């Protein structure tokens, strides 16, 4: 099956620093990638939709200047949490959309756990 | 290696009951999640099991047996709006999510 990887798996950083998380589709090209944030034992919250070669579309309430998304190629999207604060500590998950139709499958990455001290 | 298995597709009739199974082999276990995903939308959380047994939440119930590496999602009184994909995911010892490929549930009138 299709594989999506994320790097790093864990990151601990000091408040005020920036953290970059990579999401890669390993064996297929993904025109669209999604970034989610997961709260403990709760739903995935969609943060933004990332389309290759264009600006990301952010969900309401998500600060685009704080969560910078770059989708430089069909297999890589990056999320940069700028000037991270403890409240940004969370589990960040990406998914890659395989196919052209909305009904095609999303494949999820394993997630990145961010802890901001 | 780590693995989550669930059926690719299931079909059921409106008003009936359907059980979607999920078996897993992971390095460690820190809970199992079920999500519902309608086409073109973000997944929505259905349930979280970390202890053995049945968790009931309205029309949806989720069961877990850690010794068997097995879970199921039970949907009762099926409605047409329940047509969706159902994703099983296990959090391993590193608190990473291992995802199943999802089960596409088709509800027929």
């Amino acid at each position: 099956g299709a594989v999506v990887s994320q790097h790093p798996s864990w990151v601990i950083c000091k408040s005020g620093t920036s953290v970059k998380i990579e999401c890669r589709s390993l064996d297929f090209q993904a025109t669209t990638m999604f970034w989610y944030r997961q709260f403990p034992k709760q739903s995935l919250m969609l943060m933004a939709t990332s389309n290759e070669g264009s600006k990301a579309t952010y969900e309401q309430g998500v600060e685009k200047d704080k969560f910078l998304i770059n989708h430089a190629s069909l297999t890589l999207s990056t999320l940069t949490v700028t000037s991270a604060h403890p409240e940004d500590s969370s589990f960040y998950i990406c998914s890659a959309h395989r196919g052209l139709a909305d009904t095609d499958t999303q494949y999820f990455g394993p997630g990145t756990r961010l802890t901001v001290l | 290696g780590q693995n989550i298995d669930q059926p690719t597709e299931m079909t059921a009739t409106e008003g009936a009951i359907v059980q979607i199974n999920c078996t897993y082999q992971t390095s460690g276990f820190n809970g199992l999640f079920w999500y519902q995903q309608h086409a073109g939308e973000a997944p929505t959380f259905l349930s979280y099991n970390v202890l053995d047994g049945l968790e009931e939440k309205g029309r949806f119930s989720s069961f877990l047996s850690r010794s068997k590496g097995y879970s199921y999602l039970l949907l009762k009184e099926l409605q047409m709006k329940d047509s969706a994909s159902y994703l099983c995911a296990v959090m391993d010892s590193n608190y990473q999510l291992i995802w199943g490929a999802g089960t596409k549930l088709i509800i027929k009138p």
Side-chain angles (χ1 to χ4, degrees), chain A residues 22-41:
Chain A
E22 292 186 349
C23 176
R24 293 182 185 271
S25 57
L26 298 184
D27 54 357
F28 67 98
Q29 293 184 327
T31 52
T32 305
M33 289 183 170
F34 302 87
W35 285 96
Y36 297 88
R37 187 172 177 176
Q38 184 186 37
F39 298 98
K41 305 178 189 179

Side-chain angles (χ1 to χ4, degrees), chain B residues 52-88:
Chain B
D52 289 352
L54 186 68
E55 295 271 348
E56 296 186 76
K57 204 183 280 188
R59 294 190 297 116
F60 293 5
S61 303
S62 57
F63 171 83
L64 175 67
S65 168
R66 288 172 297 172
S67 62
K68 295 181 180 177
Y70 168 69
S71 172
Y72 67 72
L73 179 69
L74 190 72
L75 293 76
K76 302 176 186 175
E77 300 169 19
L78 286 170
Q79 301 174 10
M80 297 303 294
K81 67 179 182 179
D82 297 329
S83 292
S85 286
Y86 291 85
L87 300 163
C88 172

Side-chain angles (χ1 to χ4, degrees), chain B residues 1-13:
Chain B
Q2 309 206 89
N3 194 50
I4 308 281
D5 284 316
Q6 51 181 131
T8 304
E9 187 174 295
M10 299 182 70
T11 303
T13 306

